[in-house]
Amino acid sequence: MLRQLLYALRGRFVLAWPAVALLITGLVFVVGSCSDDDDKTPVPTVKLVDNATLGPYMVDAQGNTIYYFTRDLAGTNTCTGGCAAVWPIFYEPNLVLGEGLKAEDFGTITTADGQPQTTYKGWPMYYYSPADAAGQNVREKAGEVKGENVGGVWFVMKPDYSVLLARTSVVNRTTNQSTLKNFLIDSQGRTLYTFSRDQTAPTTQPTNCSGNCIATWPVYLEPGRTLPSSLKSSDFGVITRPDGPNGTTRQQTTYKGLPLYYYTPDGAQRNKVEGDGVGNVWAVAAP
């Protein structure tokens, strides 16, 4: 009798195990599925990648390089007509940013033909689509940076440029003549100038602009040395001035041996170039 009871009980457990195993398998599947969903994070639509020559620069979600145009200093898209075919606009309505990028640096503008375009620190953003052998514009492949330094006016978009290049019409304040010029600006788009009399500055006083001159032409000191590829780091240097506050010294960045300055009437605004030709001794810092 006892043996029959044991066989019966064993049969019931044997029959129960497939159901128990199925239940356990289902629980594992559900838990695993929830875990996978929870681990998913949005793919950045703009992120930084590193290049052995150029350093970190911006790309889209597919790895396509993003560029800026030096003629867009005013913050508007000046690449129109045939230019627009070669340099299509970059627009991302749902920005998801990668590490090292800040949302407050991005914005959106509307181009002259009514298209939205994403901007970074006021600079409209573009792709590069050069013409192929058949004359068709084809966007460069992910990871390519063939648009860098094209025409000396196109450069990859970086988050940490200390000095950038701009190109726009500049009015000489002595001659009142307007000329299209390339010149240096700081990371905020403010124009940098040189003083021709500094070329004869004595070694004990590395600049001839001091005292009241500095009130109008404040010194510029770069925070780093990240440059567009057409500029050479070796062309930049730093001098120590003896006229710092309260009898101290202060430093000033130089370009090709000439100290760099701001012009007070320009204010903190980008696309202000009021100091070129002043006194026939001041000029935009031209590469």
Side-chain angles (χ1 to χ4, degrees):
M1 177 67 72
L2 180 58
R3 179 175 299 178
Q4 291 176 347
L5 178 61
L6 289 175
Y7 275 118
L9 289 174
R10 187 176 65 176
R12 290 179 184 179
F13 278 105
V14 169
L15 290 173
W17 270 114
V20 173
L22 181 61
L23 176 62
I24 293 174
T25 302
L27 288 173
V28 171
F29 176 77
V30 171
V31 171
S33 298
C34 292
S35 178
D36 289 344
D37 290 340
D38 292 341
D39 289 343
K40 287 183 179 179
T41 56
V43 176
T45 53
V46 179
K47 60 185 177 180
L48 296 175
V49 296
D50 196 55
N51 178 278
T53 301
L54 299 176
Y57 65 94
M58 293 184 206
V59 299
D60 69 3
Q62 288 71 46
N64 299 115
T65 303
I66 299 171
Y67 298 88
Y68 90 92
F69 186 30
T70 62
R71 294 199 65 174
D72 288 346
L73 179 59
T76 57
N77 180 320
T78 62
C79 178
T80 58
C83 175
V86 180
W87 301 93
I89 63 174
F90 169 78
Y91 173 60
E92 176 51 62
N94 300 307
L95 281 173
V96 178
L97 303 177
E99 185 177 353
L101 298 175
K102 300 177 181 178
E104 58 265 30
D105 289 330
F106 291 82
T108 302
I109 61 170
T110 301
T111 65
D113 59 356
Q115 300 298 312
Q117 183 173 13
T118 303
T119 64
Y120 179 74
K121 293 184 177 179
W123 293 97
M125 306 171 77
Y126 301 85
Y127 291 117
Y128 181 43
S129 296
D132 61 12
Q136 300 296 314
N137 293 101
V138 180
R139 184 179 300 176
E140 64 179 354
K141 298 177 182 179
E144 292 184 335
V145 288
K146 295 179 179 179
E148 174 68 9
N149 199 21
V150 168
V153 292
W154 291 94
F155 300 95
V156 295
M157 187 73 80
K158 291 187 176 185
D160 58 347
Y161 278 121
S162 51
V163 174
L164 298 92
L165 281 169
R167 181 174 174 83
T168 190
S169 292
V170 175
V171 176
N172 184 290
R173 298 305 166 183
T174 297
T175 64
N176 288 321
Q177 297 296 311
S178 178
T179 307
L180 189 62
K181 291 185 177 182
N182 293 318
F183 55 95
L184 306 182
I185 57 176
D186 74 357
S187 61
Q188 303 303 313
R190 295 173 293 182
T191 304
L192 300 175
Y193 299 87
T194 56
F195 185 34
S196 64
R197 291 177 181 170
D198 281 345
Q199 294 178 342
T200 58
T203 55
T204 55
Q205 174 67 33
T207 173
N208 276 313
C209 179
S210 57
N212 291 334
C213 177
I214 289 300
T216 305
W217 302 91
V219 304
Y220 165 71
L221 179 64
E222 63 178 323
R225 193 64 63 82
T226 302
L227 309 167
S229 61
S230 63
L231 297 176
K232 297 179 181 179
S233 180
S234 58
D235 286 335
F236 291 83
V238 175
I239 59 172
T240 300
R241 302 171 55 104
D243 55 352
N246 301 318
T248 62
T249 61
R250 58 176 161 182
Q251 293 184 313
Q252 183 174 11
T253 297
T254 62
Y255 178 65
K256 293 186 176 180
L258 289 177
L260 295 174
Y261 304 83
Y262 293 112
Y263 184 41
T264 300
D266 285 348
Q269 301 179 55
R270 61 185 295 149
N271 197 37
K272 291 283 286 185
V273 194
E274 301 294 329
D276 190 63
V278 169
N280 208 27
V281 290
W282 290 92
V284 290

